[in-house]
Amino acid sequence: MKKRILAAMLTGVLVLGMAGCGNSASDESSEAETSEASAEEEATDQFDETTVTIFAAKSLNSVVDELIALYNETQPNVEIVTSYDSSGTLMAQIEEGAACDVFFSAAQKQMDELEENGLLIEGTRANAVNNQVCVVTYKDSGTSVTGLENLADAKSFALADGSVPVGKYTRQALVNAGMMEEVEDVSLLTTQQVSEALGGIEINECANVGAVAAAVAEGSNEVGTVYKSDTYGFEDDLEILEIVSYDLTGNVIYPIAQTVNDEADELQSEAALDFIQFLISDTAKEVYQKYYFDTDVE
């Protein structure tokens, strides 16, 4: 199913062609040609035409789009189809039978549930990146809010639902900061409960982190909580008031894994695994860092 470049044969032809020339210029040329052929020999095998579908957290939209373009430079025959939404929504779609090859979640909880339900390919799960929750406002808002501690001073607060990872991490931070009572599952804390804990502040409940970023950037809400990576591209619109410490949120790990897809053939499955390996490679790490992700993960 793959096409392998016969670099070794090319090397042999080049070496024979250069034999007997005897001068230093010829030797240098021979060495250069041999080196080039060796590089070709190590080139990545290309898959035949296939399609891989990835379900990825909304906060990964921009970085994954760039990584797909980079991946296709070496694998032009693999079409990557994307679906971006909150990790909870995507998990539910997979559980309901949606055709998906790769799941890239913004939290461990959703990946854990899929694994418990036997919907992940064993041995393919890996932690890709870490992130940080930030309290943000729009540029020149004049807000008196400086971070989590005085969120109650805001006129309005854009907050993702508890089923959305950034909404869960925000609730966890509020609990750990002593601003809300400790509960067994912070994701179940309602928007109303958060509002009451913050003195009755008006809260705009958002479906995903992208909606939070947009609501604050356009000035519909005075403050909001997003991931640091979500501020990429919004540098002229958003101001970070506080980067919430991991001590309050816990690690914001983004796991990735290949999902069970009964509709996928062998070629598609192999390409999906290859794409995952690219997404956790050193090459990919450089791209993540550009988008403000933390790549220091185990």
Side-chain angles (χ1 to χ4, degrees), residues 14 73 78 98 104 106 151 205 219 224 274:
L14 290 171
E73 289 181 7
V78 181
F104 202 164
L151 271 176
E205 183 178 290
D274 186 70

Side-chain angles (χ1 to χ4, degrees), residues 8-282:
M9 183 179 293
L10 177 59
T11 302
V13 172
L14 290 171
V15 172
L16 288 173
M18 296 303 298
C21 293
N23 57 55
S24 60
S26 297
D27 291 344
E28 291 174 2
S29 177
S30 177
E31 290 175 4
E33 296 288 358
T34 301
S35 177
E36 180 180 347
S38 296
E40 290 183 12
E41 186 174 15
E42 296 175 359
T44 303
D45 293 342
Q46 288 187 3
F47 289 94
D48 288 335
E49 289 187 4
T50 189
T51 299
V52 170
T53 298
I54 178 172
F55 283 14
K58 184 64 178 177
S59 53
L60 290 163
N61 194 324
S62 297
V63 68
V64 167
D65 280 350
E66 181 167 333
L67 286 168
I68 289 171
L70 191 59
Y71 178 73
N72 283 148
E73 289 181 7
T74 56
Q75 292 293 355
N77 297 325
V78 181
E79 180 186 3
I80 308 294
V81 176
T82 58
S83 179
Y84 298 109
D85 210 322
S86 75
S87 299
T89 297
L90 296 173
M91 177 197 70
Q93 291 173 357
I94 294 171
E95 290 179 329
E96 291 167 3
C100 170
D101 300 297
V102 178
F103 182 43
F104 202 164
S105 175
Q108 302 280 22
K109 178 181 178 180
Q110 290 76 18
M111 194 69 79
D112 289 344
E113 182 168 326
L114 291 182
E115 188 166 27
E116 290 169 4
N117 291 334
L119 293 173
L120 301 185
I121 302 296
E122 186 176 353
T124 65
R125 179 172 175 173
N127 292 333
V129 293
N130 207 341
N131 213 338
Q132 290 176 284
V133 174
C134 296
V135 180
V136 296
T137 189
Y138 56 92
K139 284 293 177 114
D140 302 320
S141 68
T143 183
S144 60
V145 175
T146 57
L148 280 181
E149 187 177 43
N150 60 342
L151 271 176
D153 293 340
K155 295 180 179 66
S156 61
F157 175 32
L159 174 67
D161 178 77
S163 66
V164 180
V166 72
K168 177 188 174 184
Y169 287 119
T170 299
R171 288 163 170 77
Q172 185 66 67
L174 292 172
V175 168
N176 288 341
M179 300 168 68
M180 297 192 72
E181 292 186 9
E182 191 169 341
V183 293
E184 185 175 346
D185 186 353
V186 295
S187 67
L188 299 179
L189 289 170
T190 67
T191 299
Q192 182 61 33
Q193 288 175 298
V194 176
S195 174
E196 291 172 359
L198 296 176
I201 185 175
E202 176 190 330
I203 295 182
N204 172 20
E205 183 178 290
C206 298
N208 55 55
V209 70
V212 174
V216 178
E218 66 189 18
S220 296
N221 295 114
E222 186 175 338
V223 297
T225 49
V226 299
Y227 294 124
K228 187 177 181 182
S229 63
D230 292 297
T231 66
Y232 181 87
F234 282 96
E235 291 83 356
D236 294 334
D237 303 302
L238 292 177
E239 177 185 348
I240 296 176
L241 299 172
E242 178 188 13
I243 297 176
V244 182
S245 73
Y246 288 134
D247 289 340
L248 294 179
T249 62
N251 284 319
V252 186
I253 298 294
Y254 283 52
I256 188 170
Q258 185 173 0
T259 53
V260 173
N261 183 0
D262 294 334
E263 298 178 15
D265 58 21
E266 184 178 355
L267 172 60
Q268 185 174 333
S269 295
E270 288 182 3
L273 182 56
D274 186 70
F275 183 49
I276 289 175
Q277 291 170 341
F278 171 76
L279 290 177
I280 59 175
S281 68
D282 289 341

